[in-house]
Structure formats: C-alpha cells, structure tokens
Amino acid sequence: MPHSTNALQLHMVLFKKITQLQQYLAKAVTTGQQIGFVPTMGALHEGHLQLVKQSLQTTQLTVCSIFVNPTQFNDANDFDKYPITLEADIECLEQQGCHVLFIPSVQEMYPTGVQASQHYPLGNLENVLEGAFRPNHYQGVCQVVHRLLDIVQPHQLFLGQKDFQQCMVLQWLVDFLALPTQIHIVPTVRNTQGLALSSRNTRLTEPQQQQALAIYQNMAWLKTQLKPGKLTALTEHIKTNLLAAGFEKIDYVAICEPTTLTEVQEWDGQTNLVVLVAAFLHGVRLIDNEYITI
Ligand code: PAF
C-alpha cells in the first residue's frame, strides 16, 4: 500500500503484513542495498528522526517500524496512556525521506498470542535499574525486537542513547542470537533547555516540562562535582533536589560503570561513568542519562 505526500513527491512505502514487507526487502537486498532499521513505538519526535537521519546516511534502505508492543509494559496504565499519533508520524517519516514503514497489528506480530515463547538470559542487566524497577520489561523488549529483527533482517540497527540500558540489552540480544546486525547508538536529542525528548513528555504541560528539566540540570551539576572518592553523597543530593523540584517518586539515581551498569560507590577517577535517573513527575515516569568520559 503506497502512501505518499504530494508536496515533495516523497514515496514511503507502508506495510502492515510481514510477507509483503519481506518480499519488498528481499528485492532490495538482491540489488545489494544495505537495510537500516529504526524500531519505534510511534509518537515520533526529533529523537526518532535523528535515528532515521543516521540510517539514511549510513544505509541505502531505511525501514522504520511503529508498534506499541504490549509485552514490554509492566504497567497497564502506562500502556493505556501511551500516545498514538500515527497520521503525524507517517507525515514526519515521509518528510524525513524514510523509505519503508512497517505498522503491524498485535495479531500480525504475535499470531499465536502474546505469551513469551522463550526466556532471554539477560543476567545482571535484568536485575539492575530499569530491569529491577520494571519486571519483565526487557523480556518483552527482547521478544519484540527478536521478532522484528527476524522479519526485517537489517544490516544496521539504530537506537537512541536515552534508553541506555535498552541499548545494552539489544547489543546483548544481537550477540546472543549471533546476528550480523551492527548497532548504532545515537546521542540523546534534547530541547534547547536540555530536556531529553521523549514520547512520554507529551503527557506533561509546558510548566511541568520546565519542572522536568531538573533531571538534566542535576546531571549537569554532577559533572562539575565529580572527584575521586565516595559518590553516594552526590546521588543523595540529586534525589533531594528532584523531590524539591516536585518529582513525586524516584526509582533511582545511579552512577555506574558504563559497560556493566555496576553501581560505582567509590570512584578512582580513572574510569568512565554513566549517570542514570528514573523518576516520576505528575504520574509520568521519565528516564535520562549522561555518559561521563574522563
Ligand atoms: O525504545 C522503544 O521504543 C521500544 O522499546 C522498541 C525498541 C521499539 C521495542 O518495542
């Protein structure tokens, strides 16, 4: 089903069915085209479009998917409230020059039902941070991305750094499945004030988005305060600041070793770090992170 805008004569091809998408992609691959893949859950913003841009620059055929995957929501309320903006998403992708959009139904993705058919042995990645606070979330992410990678068979996969731990999980998945897919992690896109763009931000009003900036501001402050030694006082200080800024609940503020996500209690000043935050503001769970290179 071709879908095109008249203004720029862009031609993004849209598929709902796996077999039709695969026939289309098979032809492209026989002509030697490299496939770049951007998996999303829609409600697209500039962060997603950066992934598409990177894919367009790196590969010959960019495929984006929009599928709000029910199996990765540990909170039914979050799933129910997840923003759906399909028409606007299609428009954005076309304007960006995306070649193919895949929008499957739940039935198409999970014809035998949504229950998991395998357990992914993610190890510690599932016990810490997002893994600890969102039970089964990464099992659902692996389930859907495994299925999408089987369907699309991309050469390159584009992921946003905002979901730092998800990037690690998906690198683990690609290695576990021994896929030839190369992962590109694209830096977080922020608004002019520093707020990380996120589909969930659209559930916050403008003044609430101003409040949400406290996460970025505190991560920036942390960078100026880091010195070798114990780090707990810094994370505690940030938690206090976030509560004072109006956040109602903090899941974590953690300073970790970036390749393992092990929390660094005492820093030797020699290793890179990543600071990761997850906190609720007006019922919306926001996450963000900053990579700190020495
Ligand atoms: O990051 C997301 O939007 C989702 O977790 C993903 C990777 C599209 C899987 O549903």
Side-chain angles (χ1 to χ4, degrees):
M1 193 206 314
H3 187 290
S4 62
T5 56
N6 38 24
L8 292 171
Q9 297 208 329
L10 301 171
H11 299 287
M12 181 171 72
V13 191
L14 197 151
F15 294 98
K16 292 182 174 177
K17 297 285 175 209
I18 294 167
T19 46
Q20 288 167 10
L21 170 69
Q22 286 183 319
Q23 277 165 18
Y24 184 91
L25 296 180
K27 276 196 207 124
V29 169
T30 53
T31 62
Q33 298 188 49
Q34 287 252 322
I35 298 175
F37 181 42
V38 181
T40 81
M41 298 204 298
L44 302 184
H45 50 68
E46 189 52 38
H48 297 109
L49 298 182
Q50 274 302 327
L51 305 181
V52 172
K53 274 184 206 157
Q54 289 275 324
S55 175
L56 290 169
Q57 281 166 16
T58 321
T59 65
Q60 290 77 47
L61 189 78
T62 292
V63 180
C64 178
S65 65
I66 295 179
F67 178 65
V68 185
N69 172 36
T71 71
Q72 71 187 74
F73 286 84
N74 54 309
D75 175 357
N77 194 34
D78 191 27
F79 179 58
D80 291 342
K81 288 193 175 154
Y82 203 83
I84 310 274
T85 57
L86 188 59
E87 279 303 310
D89 292 348
I90 292 173
E91 190 74 29
C92 282
L93 289 169
E94 267 180 337
Q95 293 294 327
Q96 201 62 61
C98 180
H99 302 115
V100 174
L101 174 61
F102 179 46
I103 44 169
S105 63
V106 173
Q107 167 66 23
E108 186 73 3
M109 285 295 282
Y110 301 122
T112 58
V114 296
Q115 67 289 342
S117 58
Q118 81 179 88
H119 177 83
Y120 298 89
L122 287 162
N124 207 38
L125 276 177
E126 207 163 21
N127 303 328
V128 297
L129 307 173
E130 291 299 283
F133 282 93
R134 301 187 66 188
N136 271 324
H137 168 63
Y138 286 131
Q139 290 298 319
V141 170
C142 284
Q143 179 189 18
V144 74
V145 176
H146 186 173
R147 178 99 173 107
L148 287 167
L149 292 175
D150 269 351
I151 295 166
V152 178
Q153 303 201 3
H155 300 88
Q156 320 270 347
L157 174 64
F158 295 83
L159 301 170
Q161 193 202 312
K162 191 173 87 63
D163 296 295
F164 190 90
Q165 192 171 358
Q166 173 171 273
C167 293
M168 293 176 74
V169 165
L170 295 180
Q171 183 63 65
W172 175 90
L173 180 71
V174 162
D175 295 343
F176 177 71
L177 300 170
L179 298 177
T181 308
Q182 191 189 349
I183 291 186
H184 296 253
I185 298 174
V186 179
T188 304
V189 177
R190 301 180 180 280
N191 74 9
T192 49
Q193 294 175 291
L195 181 67
L197 299 191
S198 153
S199 305
R200 287 182 179 84
N201 285 350
T202 58
R203 286 162 52 195
L204 296 174
T205 63
E206 184 57 41
Q208 291 169 348
Q209 292 192 13
Q210 289 292 324
Q211 273 180 292
L213 276 173
I215 295 184
Y216 174 71
Q217 287 161 350
N218 276 279
M219 292 192 307
W221 170 82
L222 175 79
K223 280 179 162 176
T224 67
Q225 301 298 312
L226 269 176
K227 53 179 185 305
K230 289 204 175 6
L231 299 179
T232 330
L234 294 174
T235 50
E236 287 308 311
H237 188 83
I238 294 180
K239 286 180 194 168
T240 308
N241 284 350
L242 291 180
L243 292 171
F247 282 78
E248 58 262 20
K249 183 167 170 274
I250 296 165
D251 277 354
Y252 55 80
V253 174
I255 304 174
C256 297
E257 197 285 313
T259 59
T260 58
L261 289 187
T262 308
E263 204 157 342
V264 179
Q265 308 286 352
E266 183 139 6
W267 188 44
D268 60 5
Q270 306 293 314
T271 53
N272 293 338
L273 297 170
V274 58
V275 52
L276 304 108
V277 178
F280 285 85
L281 183 66
H282 303 286
V284 180
R285 188 172 185 277
L286 300 175
I287 61 168
D288 202 350
N289 67 80
E290 276 279 318
Y291 196 94
I292 302 165
T293 38
I294 53 154

